[in-house]
Coordinates of all heavy atoms in Angstrom, one line a residue:
M605 N 15.4 -114.1 -8.3 CA 16.6 -113.3 -8.2 C 16.6 -112.3 -9.5 O 17.3 -111.3 -9.4 CB 17.8 -114.3 -8.4 CG 19.1 -113.7 -8.3 SD 19.5 -112.8 -6.8 CE 19.7 -114.1 -5.6
A606 N 15.9 -112.5 -10.5 CA 15.8 -111.7 -11.7 C 15.4 -110.3 -11.2 O 15.8 -109.3 -11.7 CB 15.0 -112.3 -12.7
E607 N 14.3 -110.2 -10.4 CA 13.9 -109.0 -9.9 C 14.9 -108.1 -9.2 O 15.0 -107.0 -9.4 CB 12.6 -109.2 -9.0 CG 11.4 -109.7 -9.7 CD 10.2 -109.9 -8.8 OE1 10.2 -109.3 -7.7 OE2 9.3 -110.7 -9.1
A608 N 15.7 -108.9 -8.5 CA 16.9 -108.2 -7.7 C 17.9 -107.6 -8.6 O 18.2 -106.4 -8.6 CB 17.5 -109.1 -6.7
I609 N 18.2 -108.4 -9.7 CA 19.1 -107.8 -10.8 C 18.5 -106.7 -11.5 O 19.1 -105.6 -11.8 CB 19.5 -108.9 -11.7 CG1 20.4 -110.0 -11.0 CG2 20.2 -108.4 -12.9 CD1 20.7 -111.2 -11.7
D610 N 17.2 -106.8 -11.8 CA 16.6 -105.7 -12.6 C 16.5 -104.3 -11.8 O 16.8 -103.3 -12.3 CB 15.1 -106.1 -12.9 CG 15.0 -107.1 -14.0 OD1 16.1 -107.4 -14.7 OD2 14.0 -107.8 -14.2
A611 N 16.2 -104.5 -10.4 CA 16.2 -103.3 -9.6 C 17.6 -102.8 -9.5 O 17.8 -101.5 -9.5 CB 15.8 -103.7 -8.2
L612 N 18.6 -103.6 -9.4 CA 20.0 -103.0 -9.4 C 20.4 -102.5 -10.7 O 21.2 -101.5 -10.7 CB 21.0 -104.1 -9.0 CG 20.8 -104.6 -7.5 CD1 21.6 -105.9 -7.3 CD2 21.3 -103.5 -6.5
I613 N 20.0 -103.0 -11.8 CA 20.3 -102.4 -13.1 C 19.6 -101.0 -13.1 O 20.3 -100.1 -13.6 CB 19.8 -103.3 -14.3 CG1 20.8 -104.6 -14.4 CG2 19.8 -102.6 -15.5 CD1 20.3 -105.6 -15.3
L614 N 18.4 -100.9 -12.7 CA 17.8 -99.6 -12.7 C 18.6 -98.6 -11.9 O 18.7 -97.5 -12.2 CB 16.4 -99.7 -12.2 CG 15.5 -100.3 -13.3 CD1 14.1 -100.7 -12.6 CD2 15.2 -99.4 -14.4
D615 N 19.2 -99.1 -10.7 CA 20.0 -98.3 -9.9 C 21.2 -97.8 -10.6 O 21.7 -96.6 -10.6 CB 20.4 -98.9 -8.6 CG 19.3 -99.0 -7.6 OD1 18.3 -98.4 -7.8 OD2 19.4 -99.9 -6.7
L616 N 21.8 -98.7 -11.4 CA 23.0 -98.4 -12.2 C 22.7 -97.4 -13.2 O 23.4 -96.4 -13.4 CB 23.6 -99.7 -12.8 CG 24.7 -99.5 -13.9 CD1 25.9 -98.8 -13.3 CD2 25.0 -100.9 -14.4
L617 N 21.5 -97.5 -13.9 CA 21.1 -96.6 -15.0 C 20.9 -95.2 -14.4 O 21.3 -94.3 -14.8 CB 19.9 -97.1 -15.7 CG 20.0 -98.4 -16.4 CD1 18.8 -98.8 -17.2 CD2 21.2 -98.4 -17.5
E618 N 20.2 -95.1 -13.2 CA 19.9 -93.8 -12.5 C 21.3 -93.2 -12.2 O 21.4 -92.0 -12.4 CB 19.2 -94.1 -11.3 CG 17.7 -94.4 -11.4 CD 16.9 -93.1 -11.8 OE1 17.5 -92.0 -11.9 OE2 15.7 -93.3 -12.0
S619 N 22.3 -93.9 -11.8 CA 23.6 -93.3 -11.4 C 24.3 -92.7 -12.6 O 25.1 -91.7 -12.4 CB 24.4 -94.4 -10.7 OG 25.0 -95.2 -11.6
I620 N 24.0 -93.2 -13.8 CA 24.7 -92.7 -15.0 C 23.9 -91.7 -15.7 O 24.3 -90.9 -16.5 CB 25.1 -93.9 -15.9 CG1 26.0 -94.8 -15.2 CG2 25.7 -93.4 -17.2 CD1 26.3 -96.1 -15.9
A621 N 22.5 -91.7 -15.5 CA 21.6 -90.8 -16.3 C 21.9 -89.3 -16.1 O 21.7 -88.6 -17.1 CB 20.2 -91.2 -15.8
T622 N 22.3 -88.9 -15.0 CA 22.5 -87.5 -14.7 C 23.6 -87.0 -15.5 O 23.7 -85.8 -15.9 CB 22.6 -87.1 -13.2 OG1 23.6 -87.9 -12.7 CG2 21.4 -87.4 -12.5
R623 N 24.8 -87.8 -15.6 CA 26.0 -87.5 -16.4 C 26.7 -88.7 -16.6 O 26.7 -89.7 -15.8 CB 26.8 -86.5 -15.7 CG 27.4 -87.0 -14.4 CD 28.5 -85.9 -13.8 NE 29.0 -86.5 -12.6 CZ 30.0 -87.5 -12.4 NH1 30.5 -87.9 -13.5 NH2 30.4 -87.8 -11.3
P624 N 27.4 -88.8 -17.8 CA 28.2 -90.0 -18.0 C 29.4 -90.1 -17.0 O 29.7 -89.0 -16.5 CB 28.8 -89.7 -19.5 CG 27.8 -88.8 -20.0 CD 27.3 -87.9 -18.9
K625 N 29.7 -91.3 -16.6 CA 30.7 -91.5 -15.5 C 31.9 -92.2 -16.2 O 31.8 -92.9 -17.1 CB 30.1 -92.2 -14.5 CG 29.0 -91.5 -13.7 CD 29.0 -91.9 -12.3 CE 28.2 -91.0 -11.3 NZ 26.9 -90.8 -11.7
P626 N 33.1 -91.9 -15.6 CA 34.3 -92.6 -16.1 C 34.1 -94.1 -15.9 O 33.6 -94.6 -14.9 CB 35.4 -92.2 -15.1 CG 34.9 -90.9 -14.6 CD 33.4 -90.9 -14.5
Y627 N 34.6 -94.9 -16.9 CA 34.4 -96.3 -16.9 C 35.0 -96.8 -15.5 O 34.5 -97.8 -14.9 CB 35.2 -96.9 -18.1 CG 35.3 -98.4 -18.0 CD1 34.3 -99.2 -18.4 CD2 36.5 -99.0 -17.7 CE1 34.3 -100.6 -18.3 CE2 36.6 -100.4 -17.7 CZ 35.6 -101.2 -18.0 OH 35.7 -102.5 -18.0
R628 N 36.2 -96.6 -15.2 CA 36.9 -97.1 -14.1 C 36.0 -96.9 -12.7 O 35.9 -97.8 -12.0 CB 38.3 -96.4 -13.8 CG 39.0 -96.9 -12.6 CD 39.5 -98.4 -12.6 NE 39.6 -99.1 -13.8 CZ 39.4 -100.4 -13.9 NH1 38.9 -101.1 -13.1 NH2 39.7 -101.0 -15.2
E629 N 35.4 -95.8 -12.7 CA 34.6 -95.5 -11.4 C 33.4 -96.4 -11.5 O 33.0 -97.0 -10.5 CB 34.1 -94.0 -11.5 CG 33.2 -93.6 -10.4 CD 32.6 -92.1 -10.5 OE1 33.4 -91.3 -11.0 OE2 31.4 -91.9 -10.2
V630 N 32.7 -96.5 -12.7 CA 31.6 -97.4 -12.8 C 31.9 -98.9 -12.5 O 31.2 -99.5 -11.8 CB 30.8 -97.2 -14.1 CG1 29.8 -98.2 -14.3 CG2 30.4 -95.7 -14.3
I631 N 32.9 -99.4 -13.1 CA 33.3 -100.7 -13.1 C 33.7 -101.1 -11.7 O 33.5 -102.2 -11.1 CB 34.3 -101.2 -14.1 CG1 34.3 -102.7 -14.4 CG2 35.7 -100.8 -13.8 CD1 33.0 -103.2 -15.1
D632 N 34.4 -100.2 -11.0 CA 34.8 -100.5 -9.6 C 33.6 -100.6 -8.6 O 33.6 -101.4 -7.7 CB 35.7 -99.4 -9.0 CG 37.1 -99.4 -9.6 OD1 37.5 -100.5 -10.2 OD2 37.9 -98.5 -9.4
A633 N 32.6 -99.8 -8.9 CA 31.3 -99.8 -8.1 C 30.4 -101.0 -8.5 O 29.7 -101.5 -7.6 CB 30.6 -98.5 -8.2
W634 N 30.3 -101.4 -9.8 CA 29.3 -102.2 -10.2 C 29.7 -103.6 -10.7 O 28.7 -104.5 -10.9 CB 28.3 -101.6 -11.3 CG 27.6 -100.4 -10.7 CD1 27.9 -99.1 -10.7 CD2 26.4 -100.5 -10.1 NE1 27.0 -98.4 -10.1 CE2 26.0 -99.3 -9.6 CE3 25.5 -101.6 -9.8 CZ2 24.8 -98.9 -9.0 CZ3 24.3 -101.3 -9.1 CH2 24.0 -100.1 -8.7
R635 N 30.9 -103.8 -11.0 CA 31.3 -105.1 -11.4 C 31.4 -106.1 -10.2 O 31.7 -105.7 -9.1 CB 32.7 -105.1 -12.1 CG 33.2 -106.4 -12.7 CD 34.4 -106.1 -13.3 NE 34.7 -107.2 -14.2 CZ 35.9 -107.3 -14.9 NH1 36.9 -106.5 -14.6 NH2 36.1 -108.4 -15.6
T636 N 31.0 -107.2 -10.4 CA 31.0 -108.2 -9.3 C 31.5 -109.6 -9.8 O 31.4 -110.0 -10.9 CB 29.5 -108.4 -8.8 OG1 29.6 -109.3 -7.7 CG2 28.5 -108.8 -9.8
S637 N 32.0 -110.3 -8.9 CA 32.4 -111.7 -9.1 C 31.3 -112.6 -8.6 O 31.4 -113.8 -8.8 CB 33.7 -112.0 -8.5 OG 33.6 -111.9 -7.0
C638 N 30.2 -112.1 -8.1 CA 29.1 -112.9 -7.7 C 28.3 -113.3 -8.9 O 27.7 -112.5 -9.5 CB 28.3 -112.1 -6.7 SG 26.8 -113.1 -6.1
P639 N 28.2 -114.7 -9.2 CA 27.4 -115.0 -10.3 C 25.9 -114.8 -10.1 O 25.2 -114.8 -11.1 CB 27.7 -116.6 -10.5 CG 28.2 -117.0 -9.1 CD 28.8 -115.7 -8.5
R640 N 25.5 -114.5 -9.0 CA 24.0 -114.3 -8.8 C 23.6 -112.8 -9.0 O 22.5 -112.6 -9.2 CB 23.7 -114.7 -7.3 CG 23.8 -116.2 -7.1 CD 23.4 -116.5 -5.7 NE 23.1 -118.0 -5.6 CZ 22.3 -118.5 -4.7 NH1 21.8 -117.7 -3.8 NH2 22.2 -119.7 -4.6
L641 N 24.6 -111.9 -9.0 CA 24.3 -110.6 -9.1 C 25.1 -109.9 -10.1 O 25.9 -109.0 -9.8 CB 24.3 -109.8 -7.8 CG 23.3 -110.1 -6.7 CD1 23.6 -109.5 -5.4 CD2 21.9 -109.8 -7.2
P642 N 25.1 -110.3 -11.4 CA 26.0 -109.7 -12.4 C 25.4 -108.4 -13.0 O 25.1 -108.4 -14.2 CB 26.0 -110.9 -13.4 CG 24.6 -111.5 -13.3 CD 24.3 -111.4 -11.9
V643 N 25.3 -107.4 -12.2 CA 24.7 -106.1 -12.6 C 25.3 -105.5 -13.9 O 24.7 -105.3 -14.8 CB 24.7 -105.1 -11.5 CG1 24.0 -103.9 -11.9 CG2 23.9 -105.7 -10.2
W644 N 26.7 -105.3 -13.8 CA 27.4 -104.6 -14.9 C 27.2 -105.6 -16.1 O 26.9 -105.1 -17.2 CB 28.8 -104.4 -14.6 CG 29.6 -104.0 -15.7 CD1 30.4 -104.8 -16.5 CD2 29.7 -102.8 -16.4 NE1 31.0 -104.1 -17.5 CE2 30.5 -102.9 -17.5 CE3 29.1 -101.5 -16.1 CZ2 30.8 -101.8 -18.3 CZ3 29.4 -100.4 -17.0 CH2 30.3 -100.6 -18.0
E645 N 27.5 -106.9 -15.9 CA 27.5 -107.8 -17.1 C 26.1 -107.8 -17.7 O 26.0 -107.8 -18.9 CB 27.9 -109.1 -16.5 CG 29.4 -109.2 -16.1 CD 29.6 -108.7 -14.6 OE1 28.7 -108.2 -14.0 OE2 30.7 -108.7 -14.2
E646 N 25.1 -107.9 -16.9 CA 23.7 -108.0 -17.4 C 23.4 -106.8 -18.1 O 22.7 -106.7 -19.2 CB 22.7 -108.3 -16.3 CG 21.3 -108.6 -16.7 CD 21.2 -109.9 -17.5 OE1 22.0 -110.9 -17.1 OE2 20.3 -110.1 -18.3
A647 N 23.6 -105.5 -17.6 CA 23.3 -104.3 -18.2 C 24.1 -104.2 -19.6 O 23.5 -103.7 -20.6 CB 23.6 -103.2 -17.3
S648 N 25.2 -104.7 -19.6 CA 26.0 -104.7 -20.8 C 25.4 -105.6 -22.0 O 25.3 -105.3 -23.0 CB 27.5 -105.0 -20.5 OG 28.0 -104.1 -19.8
E649 N 25.1 -106.8 -21.5 CA 24.5 -107.7 -22.4 C 23.2 -107.3 -22.9 O 22.8 -107.6 -24.1 CB 24.3 -109.2 -21.7 CG 25.5 -109.9 -21.5 CD 25.3 -111.2 -20.8 OE1 24.2 -111.7 -20.9 OE2 26.3 -111.8 -20.2
R650 N 22.4 -106.5 -22.1 CA 21.1 -106.0 -22.6 C 21.3 -104.8 -23.4 O 20.3 -104.2 -23.9 CB 20.3 -105.7 -21.4 CG 19.8 -106.9 -20.6 CD 18.9 -106.5 -19.5 NE 18.6 -107.6 -18.6 CZ 17.8 -107.5 -17.6 NH1 17.1 -106.4 -17.3 NH2 17.6 -108.5 -16.8
E651 N 22.5 -104.4 -23.6 CA 22.9 -103.1 -24.4 C 22.3 -101.9 -23.8 O 21.8 -101.1 -24.7 CB 22.6 -103.5 -25.8 CG 23.4 -104.5 -26.5 CD 23.1 -104.8 -27.9 OE1 22.2 -104.2 -28.5 OE2 23.9 -105.7 -28.5
L652 N 22.2 -101.8 -22.6 CA 21.8 -100.5 -21.9 C 22.8 -99.5 -21.7 O 22.5 -98.4 -21.4 CB 21.1 -100.9 -20.6 CG 20.0 -102.1 -20.6 CD1 19.6 -102.4 -19.3 CD2 18.8 -101.5 -21.5
L653 N 24.1 -99.9 -21.8 CA 25.2 -99.0 -21.6 C 26.1 -99.0 -22.7 O 26.2 -100.0 -23.5 CB 26.1 -99.4 -20.3 CG 25.2 -99.7 -19.1 CD1 26.1 -100.4 -18.0 CD2 24.7 -98.3 -18.5
E654 N 26.9 -97.9 -23.0 CA 27.9 -98.0 -24.0 C 29.1 -97.2 -23.5 O 29.0 -96.2 -22.6 CB 27.5 -97.4 -25.3 CG 27.1 -95.9 -25.3 CD 26.5 -95.4 -26.7 OE1 26.5 -96.1 -27.6 OE2 26.0 -94.2 -26.6
L655 N 30.3 -97.5 -24.0 CA 31.6 -96.7 -23.7 C 31.8 -95.9 -24.8 O 31.7 -96.3 -26.0 CB 32.7 -97.8 -23.5 CG 32.5 -98.7 -22.3 CD1 33.7 -99.7 -22.2 CD2 32.4 -98.0 -21.0
R656 N 32.3 -94.7 -24.5 CA 32.6 -93.7 -25.5 C 34.0 -93.1 -25.1 O 34.2 -92.7 -24.0 CB 31.6 -92.6 -25.6 CG 30.4 -92.9 -26.1 CD 29.5 -91.7 -26.3 NE 28.1 -92.0 -26.5 CZ 27.1 -91.2 -26.4 NH1 27.3 -89.9 -26.1 NH2 25.8 -91.7 -26.6
S657 N 34.9 -93.1 -26.1 CA 36.3 -92.5 -25.8 C 36.2 -91.0 -25.9 O 35.4 -90.4 -26.6 CB 37.2 -93.0 -26.9 OG 37.3 -94.4 -26.9
Q658 N 36.9 -90.5 -25.0 CA 37.0 -89.0 -24.9 C 38.4 -88.6 -25.3 O 39.3 -89.3 -25.3 CB 36.8 -88.5 -23.4 CG 35.3 -89.0 -22.9 CD 34.3 -88.4 -23.6 OE1 34.2 -87.2 -23.7 NE2 33.4 -89.3 -24.2
P659 N 38.6 -87.3 -25.6 CA 40.0 -86.8 -25.9 C 40.8 -87.1 -24.8 O 40.5 -87.0 -23.6 CB 39.8 -85.3 -26.1 CG 38.3 -85.1 -26.5 CD 37.5 -86.2 -25.7
G660 N 42.0 -87.7 -25.1 CA 43.0 -88.1 -24.1 C 42.9 -89.5 -23.8 O 43.6 -90.0 -22.9
G661 N 41.9 -90.2 -24.4 CA 41.8 -91.7 -24.1 C 40.9 -92.1 -23.0 O 40.7 -93.3 -22.8
A662 N 40.3 -91.2 -22.2 CA 39.4 -91.6 -21.1 C 38.1 -92.3 -21.7 O 37.6 -91.9 -22.8 CB 39.0 -90.5 -20.3
L663 N 37.7 -93.2 -21.0 CA 36.4 -93.9 -21.4 C 35.4 -93.4 -20.4 O 35.4 -93.5 -19.2 CB 36.5 -95.4 -21.3 CG 37.3 -96.1 -22.4 CD1 37.5 -97.6 -22.1 CD2 36.6 -95.9 -23.7
L664 N 34.2 -93.0 -21.0 CA 33.0 -92.7 -20.2 C 31.9 -93.6 -20.6 O 31.7 -94.0 -21.7 CB 32.5 -91.2 -20.5 CG 33.5 -90.2 -20.1 CD1 32.9 -88.8 -20.4 CD2 33.7 -90.2 -18.7
V665 N 31.2 -94.0 -19.5 CA 30.0 -94.8 -19.7 C 28.7 -94.0 -19.8 O 28.5 -93.0 -19.1 CB 29.7 -95.7 -18.5 CG1 28.5 -96.7 -18.5 CG2 31.0 -96.5 -18.1
H666 N 28.0 -94.2 -20.9 CA 26.8 -93.5 -21.3 C 25.6 -94.5 -21.4 O 25.8 -95.8 -21.6 CB 26.9 -92.9 -22.7 CG 27.9 -91.8 -22.7 ND1 27.5 -90.5 -22.8 CD2 29.3 -91.8 -22.8 CE1 28.6 -89.7 -22.8 NE2 29.6 -90.5 -22.9
L667 N 24.4 -94.0 -21.2 CA 23.2 -94.9 -21.4 C 23.0 -94.9 -22.9 O 23.2 -94.0 -23.6 CB 22.0 -94.3 -20.7 CG 21.9 -94.1 -19.2 CD1 20.7 -93.6 -18.8 CD2 22.2 -95.4 -18.6
T668 N 22.6 -96.1 -23.4 CA 22.2 -96.3 -24.8 C 20.7 -95.7 -24.9 O 20.0 -95.6 -23.9 CB 22.3 -97.7 -25.3 OG1 21.4 -98.5 -24.5 CG2 23.6 -98.2 -25.1
P669 N 20.2 -95.6 -26.1 CA 18.8 -95.2 -26.2 C 17.9 -96.3 -25.5 O 17.0 -95.9 -24.9 CB 18.7 -95.3 -27.7 CG 19.9 -94.9 -28.3 CD 20.9 -95.5 -27.5
A670 N 18.3 -97.6 -25.6 CA 17.5 -98.6 -24.9 C 17.7 -98.3 -23.4 O 16.6 -98.7 -22.7 CB 18.0 -100.0 -25.2
G671 N 18.7 -98.0 -22.9 CA 18.9 -97.7 -21.5 C 18.1 -96.6 -21.0 O 17.4 -96.6 -20.0
R672 N 18.1 -95.5 -21.8 CA 17.3 -94.3 -21.5 C 15.8 -94.6 -21.5 O 14.9 -94.2 -20.6 CB 17.5 -93.2 -22.5 CG 19.0 -92.6 -22.2 CD 19.1 -91.2 -22.9 NE 19.1 -91.4 -24.4 CZ 20.2 -91.8 -25.1 NH1 21.3 -91.9 -24.5 NH2 20.1 -92.0 -26.4
E673 N 15.4 -95.4 -22.5 CA 14.0 -95.9 -22.6 C 13.6 -96.7 -21.4 O 12.5 -96.5 -20.9 CB 13.7 -96.7 -24.0 CG 12.2 -97.1 -24.1 CD 11.2 -96.0 -23.9 OE1 11.5 -94.8 -24.3 OE2 10.1 -96.4 -23.4
L674 N 14.3 -97.7 -21.1 CA 14.1 -98.6 -19.9 C 13.9 -97.6 -18.6 O 12.9 -97.7 -17.8 CB 15.1 -99.5 -19.6 CG 14.9 -100.5 -18.5 CD1 13.7 -101.3 -18.6 CD2 16.2 -101.4 -18.2
L675 N 14.7 -96.8 -18.4 CA 14.7 -95.9 -17.2 C 13.5 -94.9 -17.3 O 12.8 -94.7 -16.3 CB 16.0 -95.0 -17.1 CG 16.3 -94.3 -15.9 CD1 16.3 -95.1 -14.7 CD2 17.7 -93.6 -16.0
A676 N 13.2 -94.4 -18.5 CA 12.0 -93.6 -18.7 C 10.8 -94.3 -18.3 O 9.9 -93.9 -17.7 CB 12.0 -93.0 -20.1
R677 N 10.6 -95.6 -18.9 CA 9.5 -96.4 -18.5 C 9.4 -96.7 -17.0 O 8.2 -96.6 -16.5 CB 9.6 -97.8 -19.2 CG 8.9 -97.8 -20.6 CD 8.7 -99.2 -21.0 NE 9.9 -100.1 -20.8 CZ 10.7 -100.6 -21.6 NH1 10.6 -100.3 -22.9 NH2 11.8 -101.4 -21.3
H678 N 10.5 -97.0 -16.4 CA 10.4 -97.3 -15.0 C 10.0 -96.0 -14.1 O 9.2 -96.1 -13.3 CB 11.8 -97.6 -14.5 CG 11.9 -97.7 -13.0 ND1 11.3 -98.7 -12.2 CD2 12.7 -97.0 -12.1 CE1 11.7 -98.6 -11.0 NE2 12.4 -97.5 -10.9
R679 N 10.5 -94.7 -14.6 CA 10.1 -93.5 -14.0 C 8.6 -93.3 -14.1 O 7.9 -92.8 -13.2 CB 10.9 -92.4 -14.4 CG 12.3 -92.4 -14.0 CD 13.1 -91.4 -14.7 NE 14.5 -91.3 -14.2 CZ 15.5 -90.6 -14.8 NH1 15.3 -89.9 -15.8 NH2 16.7 -90.6 -14.2
R680 N 8.1 -93.6 -15.3 CA 6.7 -93.4 -15.6 C 5.8 -94.3 -14.7 O 4.8 -93.9 -14.1 CB 6.3 -93.7 -17.1 CG 6.8 -92.5 -18.0 CD 6.2 -92.6 -19.4 NE 6.5 -93.9 -20.0 CZ 7.6 -94.0 -20.9 NH1 8.4 -92.9 -21.0 NH2 7.8 -95.1 -21.5
V681 N 6.3 -95.5 -14.5 CA 5.6 -96.4 -13.6 C 5.6 -95.9 -12.2 O 4.6 -96.0 -11.5 CB 6.1 -97.8 -13.7 CG1 5.6 -98.8 -12.6 CG2 5.9 -98.5 -15.0
L682 N 6.8 -95.4 -11.8 CA 6.8 -94.9 -10.4 C 5.9 -93.7 -10.2 O 5.3 -93.5 -9.2 CB 8.2 -94.5 -10.0 CG 9.2 -95.6 -9.8 CD1 10.6 -95.1 -9.6 CD2 8.8 -96.5 -8.7
A683 N 5.8 -92.8 -11.2 CA 5.0 -91.7 -11.2 C 3.5 -92.0 -11.1 O 2.8 -91.3 -10.4 CB 5.4 -90.7 -12.3
A684 N 3.1 -93.0 -11.8 CA 1.8 -93.4 -11.8 C 1.3 -94.2 -10.5 O 0.1 -94.3 -10.3 CB 1.5 -94.3 -13.1
S685 N 2.3 -94.5 -9.8 CA 1.8 -95.3 -8.5 C 1.8 -94.5 -7.4 O 1.9 -93.3 -7.3 CB 2.8 -96.5 -8.3 OG 4.1 -96.2 -8.4

């Protein structure tokens, strides 16, 4: 099951990599009550994502340096195969 979660975490990171997304949009799409697929929760625990406040109080989800590095490593592996 860990491989499935890792793959989904990479999908989550890819979805945010192009541009930060509003927290509400991300959490609605990725938060789960299924204990077997805790994608948002696992990515947060691994410190791959961070929330940043914007003027007006909106929260945006950004990749952390660790999240960007994990995604870059994954892309290098894909490019090499």
